[in-house]
Amino acid sequence: GERASDAHGRAAAAAMATSHAAIEGSRESLRKVTRALLSVSDKTGVVELGQCLAGLGVELLSTGGTAKLLREAGLTVKDVADHTGSPEMLDGRVKTLHPK
């Protein structure tokens, strides 16, 4: 059988990829999610979510232990610091605060 975290990860990825709507005047259009930032303290289900997103063609950005876990699972992950050009600060406590 399918693990609950697998099903949850797939459902979350599908919902995220299809539900980002942009309002343009009075009409609504869907936008494809092209990049996702995954950086969590509780890693439960994050690999499955990453696999689903990657399977939908979404670029994965991540930090620290989350990035390490995703890479160990065979996923391609870009470090947030590489994307922003700004290193982590305060001993890794500030990783994603950047105007980019």
Side-chain angles (χ1 to χ4, degrees):
E2 180 176 65
R3 291 188 359 211
S5 63
D6 291 343
H8 179 72
R10 267 196 298 288
M16 187 185 317
T18 59
S19 69
H20 283 64
I23 305 301
E24 299 174 7
S26 63
R27 63 188 175 102
E28 184 176 285
S29 64
L30 295 179
R31 288 189 180 172
K32 181 176 177 1
V33 174
T34 58
R35 183 178 299 130
L37 171 60
L38 302 177
S39 183
V40 296
S41 56
D42 180 351
K43 312 282 189 260
T44 306
V46 75
V47 168
E48 293 82 4
L49 177 60
Q51 290 168 332
C52 289
L53 291 169
L56 293 168
V58 176
E59 176 187 18
L60 303 179
L61 301 179
S62 194
T63 62
T66 304
K68 181 177 186 275
L69 182 65
L70 294 170
R71 285 186 185 111
E72 288 172 351
L75 294 168
T76 300
V77 179
K78 183 175 184 179
D79 288 320
V80 169
D82 291 338
H83 178 72
T84 63
S86 181
E88 294 180 6
M89 299 177 280
L90 300 174
D91 297 321
R93 290 189 299 275
V94 177
K95 300 175 184 182
T96 58
L97 182 62
H98 189 274
K100 185 171 182 178

